Amino acid sequence: MPAPTRSQEAYDTAQALREHPDEWAHIETLGNLNRATNLAYRIRTGRHSAFRPAGVFDATARLADDGTASVYACYISANEEDS
């Protein structure tokens, strides 16, 4: 069986976040803060197709002491009526 593609991994991650609303999870560790900030932005704005529609996920990047940066994300309710 072939290894899952990065795209499929992203869709699986987004689905897992949807199943646990408002719970933050580590998404990925990248080589620098710029790359991590870019990924967090793409998740928040829905520019990353697995995390659409825009605005239903929140994401942030955190710099580590070793210069790498981690991305964390959570699913937030798309409907204000749900709360």
Side-chain angles (χ1 to χ4, degrees):
M1 172 181 259
T5 64
R6 287 186 59 83
S7 178
Q8 185 58 52
E9 289 174 5
Y11 280 94
D12 292 346
T13 298
Q15 182 57 40
L17 289 172
R18 285 183 179 93
E19 292 170 3
H20 301 279
D22 301 319
E23 290 184 25
W24 287 86
H26 177 261
I27 302 301
E28 190 167 355
T29 298
L30 297 165
N32 61 57
L33 186 58
N34 185 51
R35 290 181 64 206
T37 301
N38 182 275
L39 177 57
Y41 170 80
R42 291 176 56 230
I43 290 171
R44 284 192 313 274
T45 60
R47 292 185 193 273
H48 191 306
S49 61
F51 296 91
R52 288 182 184 157
V56 299
F57 290 92
D58 194 4
T60 189
R62 297 283 182 250
L63 183 63
D65 290 338
D66 66 0
T68 63
S70 293
V71 178
Y72 296 88
C74 75
Y75 175 75
I76 52 179
S77 177
N79 297 318
E80 301 249 341
E81 313 155 355
D82 291 346
S83 39

